[in-house]
Structure formats: structure tokens, C-alpha cells
Amino acid sequence: MRRHHSTTPRLTRVLGSLLLVAAAGAFSVGAAPAPRAAEPAPLDRVVPAPASVEPGGAPYRITAATRVRVDGAAGFSVRRVAAYLAGILRPSTGYRLPLTEQGEGGIRLRLAKGSFGPEGYRLNSAPDGVTITASAPAGLFHGVQTLRQLLPAAVERGTVQPGPWTVAGGTIEDHPRYAYRGAMLDVSRHFFTVGQVKRYIDQLALYKINELHLHLSDDQGWRIAVDSWPRLASYGGSTEVGGGAGGHYTKADYREIVRYAATRYVELVPEIDMPGHTNAALASYARLNCDGTAPPLYTGTQVGFSSLCVNKPVTYDFVDDVIRELAALTPGRYLHIGGDEAHSTSHADYVTFMDRVQPLVAKYGKTVIGWHQLTGATPAKGALAQYWGLDGTGAAEKEQVAAAARNGTGLVLSPADRVYLDMKYTKDTPLGLSWAGLVEVKRSYDWDPGTYLPGAPASAVRGVEAPLWSETLTRSSDIEYMAFPRLPGVAELGWSPAATHGWDAYKVRLAAQGPRWDALGITYYRSPQVPWPTG
Ligand code: ACM
């Protein structure tokens, strides 16, 4: 259960964040410039660790003459990935890097039949060029993320840097361990703008995360416009934790997030949390309440006090309308219906509610995801359960989830004492909560999704997700400080083969990301567990 720590007054928190940002800025400005790398980064210094790395041969160097090549037959998506890559390289190299269908060498992106899978790729680097080959544009995009990390960190800067821009020689063959590699952002407890969500999507893409779960409704705010129930957003979205102005996404806003995410090969997973966590909806429409009386809006951080009225027919008209409109905005496969912490709903009512609501998700062409309490009801065929327990969660609860998994329910693993990005790193972390414990970087990384839940078949595990709840977070630098450096570790658990797992090697690869985050302006926690470069 999510509980709140003592509330730091808002102004103090804001000042604290500003100081953090200032400190981070001072650090990168004040530090001596890193010595020019005589050698390119080793081919295996990549997060998430690639499936296979064969270093060898002389390096490739990007120069003023380099072109970004696509085949004449390349479609829109391949050209878009090529333009995205050039867009990253041009500001820092200062080179023109034209896109072309002509010539030889350079940086080539090509589609080819092969055993890459929908997201895999091969990256070959030799003196005459770098070629990224995949069987789908998503694979080219992921290969581009790898190429970024093989170049000096300064490539991420927005102004011309000295270079040289050298990529080690050799071949990487890569594909993901799991199809579902997610992050969740809670836009209900505090609202985040379209621009802030896009910024986070760009950060997720760096580490090949391909699902963004948006927690669009909770007690404190309803964040998505629903035409048939307009007060959900206009009133239910009008505040947030601490009493700020809140906000919501118009349908155009939401479509823009979906569109942008698609250009980063990230699928949106919208969540409407039900039947609990619904005070914002109940406050917006009196008729949704069993007693016909709307409660006030809520700006605190307690959980478990609200419930939709399970035995009122209007509840299902409401849910049908919301799911219909949300499904129409959602090209992705999934619709998350929450189902956690329904402490004000009886067990019988919970089962009744889930039996009625899950078919509505199917009716509008989507697949159910629910928090793992859904396994206490009857998960629909094909549903995914998102496990958010702890090491210390009782055996009976774990077995309930494992039994569902043996029965065909897929699992997304989000153990709260490992991958809840809102947990404090140490007792001194200025942001975040600690109800699931303190979660330093090593603890967050050092577990295996394939064997994590006793009694659950490895084949039931569809992947991992790193949720970020926003009770204490108000700005992008807050999001980043909690996500970095833990998020890349979760991404690696989702992408890399189990055989590559190992903290000692990982922490070195992770440390090499720090200068990239400095270059990108990403705020992060300089964990003492990580051997950050000192240059
Ligand atoms: C949750 O943290 N209540 C899913």
C-alpha cells in the first residue's frame, strides 16, 4: 500500500529541486573537460547489454564527408529513423550528414530479411562504414540507440564539439529478451504536460524501453478528456496533490503523445484505475456514488478510500463510455484497468466488477492489463497481471499470482522494492517515498525476472515495468532524479539475455552513461555504488 511520508512544504521542496539542478549544472560546468578519448568506447560498453558482441577490426570515423544512407526502396519509417539519427549527430559534430540513397560507406540503415525479430538488429562497424540492419524499423531505431552509446558522450550535446567521432570496429547482434519493457508515469498525483511526457519518452527510448504506461486517473486527478462525461477532466482534473491547478490532456494532446511515442517505437498503455482510486470521478458526478452525493476533490496522499458503486447500472454505462473513448484514442494493444488497493470495495463486489468490466475492454478491441490484485478475481483470457509485491509479500498472495500465471495469465513484473522508481535511494534522498524500502541502484538491478516469482513459469513473464508514482514529484528534473540511474537497469533486465547479467560489469557500463546524461541535461542521482568517471 502506498503511504505518504511527512510532507515537505511545497516551497522548500521547490527550492531543494532548484538547488539540485544548480548543483548538477555547476558540476558539469566546473569539471575539467574530459581528456580526448584516444580510443573509441569498447563495443560492449552499451546499456542494455547486447545479446552478442564481437569486437574486431579497425574503427569507423564519422567525418564532414559522412552521409546517412538508406536504400532507394526504403519507406517512410526507415527514412524517419535515418532523419532522427542525423538530427542527433548534426548539432554536436557540426557536419551536414545528408540523407542519401547514393554511394558507398557512411552510416547505412537497411531492412533485410533475417532472424532479427520485430525489434532486433545487427550493427557492423568497419573503416568503410557502419551498417545497421534489421527486419523492421523498430530494430533500426534500437540499433541507432546503440550507435549513440558507441560514440563519445559529447555527441549528445546541442553545440559543436571537437570530436573525433569514432566507433569501435566489430559486430553487435542484438534482440530483446522480453517483448514488454515498460515505464509508468503517474500523471494523476501531479500532472505533467505533453512536453514533459515527450521528454521522458525520449529518455526511455535511449534504453530501448518500448511501453509507456500512463496512470491517467486516481483519487487526486482525472487527466484525459472524455466527451461523454466532460466533468471528469474539467472538474476531476482541476487539482492535484498539494492543491495545485492539475490539468488534463485534451484528445488532441493525447493523440500527440501517442504520435510522438510511435516515432520512438514506444506504445502507450493508458490506465484508468478502477474500482478504487476513483475519487476524482466520484467528485465529478454525484450519480456515480452509491449515496448519490459527490465527495469533495482530494489533494492528499492516502489510498484505498474510494470505490465506484459496483451495484449501480450507471457505473457500467460510465465504464463503457470511458473505455470506448479511450480505446478509440489508443492504437496500442493494451488498456490498463488498475484494480489495486480496492480497500473500500468488498471482495465479492470486486469480483463482480472485474467480471463486468474486462469484457468491455475486449468489446473495444483491447487486451486487459491490471495490477496483480486482478488475479484475486478471474483474469480475462489473454490478460496481463502487473505484479507490484515485495520480497516480503506473503506466500499466499505470491501463489495467487503464480497460479494465475500457470493458468495462462501473462505477467509484467514491477516489484516495488526493486523497480518502483519513486522509492528513495537512501534515507537522505530529497524526493520520493519509502514504504517499500530504500532502493539503491544495485538492489534495483540485481534480480532476475525469469525466476523472480516462485511457482510462476518463466514463459508467463512478458517483461518488466518501472513505475514512477508522483506524490512528491512536480518537475521533469524530479522525474529524472528518481529514474536515473535506476531506469537503465530495469531496461537491461527487460532487454538483455540473463547470461549477460552481472553487477560488476554493469556498473562500469552504467557509469559511462553519466557523461551522456550531463550532455543531455538529464538530472541524476550520483549513487556512490557507481564508479562515475571523474575526468
Ligand atoms: C500500486 O502501487 N498501488 C499499484
Side-chain angles (χ1 to χ4, degrees), residues 9 13 73 77 107 141 159 198 222 266 272 293 330 363 395 400 403 415 428-429 435 489 496 532:
R13 223 172 52 222
S77 298
I107 302 173
F141 184 82
T159 55
K198 287 182 177 178
W222 184 286
V266 170
I272 298 297
T293 305
T330 302
K363 175 179 166 189
Q400 175 186 290
D428 298 323
T429 303
W435 61 262
S496 305
W532 307 107

Side-chain angles (χ1 to χ4, degrees), residues 423-509:
M423 290 301 114
K424 291 175 180 288
Y425 298 96
T426 73
K427 66 178 178 22
D428 298 323
T429 303
L431 301 166
L433 308 179
S434 56
W435 61 262
L438 301 171
V439 184
E440 252 286 10
V441 181
K442 180 172 192 289
R443 176 171 178 79
S444 184
Y445 171 78
D446 224 355
W447 59 285
D448 176 19
T451 57
Y452 177 77
L453 195 66
S459 61
V461 178
R462 303 301 155 75
V464 293
E465 182 180 296
L468 183 48
W469 302 99
S470 65
E471 284 94 333
T472 67
L473 314 178
T474 60
R475 55 191 60 229
S476 283
S477 59
D478 295 349
I479 291 174
E480 292 159 17
Y481 186 78
M482 300 312 283
F484 293 88
R486 290 180 292 200
L487 178 74
V490 185
E492 174 148 321
L493 290 171
W495 179 280
S496 305
T500 64
H501 188 89
W503 169 254
D504 288 339
Y506 172 68
K507 71 181 179 193
V508 175
R509 287 183 287 113

Side-chain angles (χ1 to χ4, degrees), residues 54 190 337:
E54 293 236 11
H190 284 101
I337 57 172

Side-chain angles (χ1 to χ4, degrees), residues 41 43 71 80 83 110 124 148 159 185 233 236 280 312 318 334 355 425 427 433 457 481 512 517:
L43 202 64
D71 294 345
R80 190 178 63 193
R110 61 185 279 267
N124 180 263
R148 289 170 82 167
T159 55
L185 185 61
K312 247 183 163 176
F318 163 77
Y334 302 112
D355 282 351
Y425 298 96
K427 66 178 178 22
L433 308 179
Y481 186 78
W517 301 334

